[in-house]
Amino acid sequence: VQLQACGGGLVQAGGSLRLSCAATESGFNINAMGWHRQAPGKQRELVATITDGGGTHYANSVRGRFTISRDNANNTVYLQMNNLKPEDTAVYYCNADGYTYGLQYFSSWGQGTQVTVSS
């Protein structure tokens, strides 16, 4: 299952960006979708996840500023990022896991999109 992410860019501190990530194929059911990020010299970290039922989880560092949502009909996940801070600068990766119609489990990652927040 391939994921296509977009929406990154350069923004000043306090600004907003919206990321989106879509699964570009069919023939599967997605369970959880999420966003992770990796800053230079740091490990990849979880940002937010959302289940197929709409349950959400956020990292403490983004709770109250970021909102994750999804469009199940179009297998798309969004990340609305408000009040961005320089420490949010990172490459953001989307992730999805689930099962194909042949009941094969998958966990896929998007290609990453750069978010840069200037102070």
Side-chain angles (χ1 to χ4, degrees), residues 40-87:
K42 295 187 177 181
Q43 290 187 333
R44 189 174 298 191
E45 64 175 0
L46 173 71
V47 176
T49 61
I50 184 167
T51 67
D52 54 353
T56 57
H57 172 78
Y58 295 93
N60 289 335
S61 59
V62 307
R63 187 174 292 113
R65 300 186 297 121
F66 292 10
T67 302
I68 189 170
S69 60
R70 64 189 280 177
D71 177 351
N72 289 333
N74 292 299
N75 292 320
T76 302
V77 63
Y78 304 97
L79 186 68
Q80 177 66 43
M81 305 184 293
N82 298 327
N83 191 22
L84 282 159
K85 303 176 181 181
E87 51 263 43

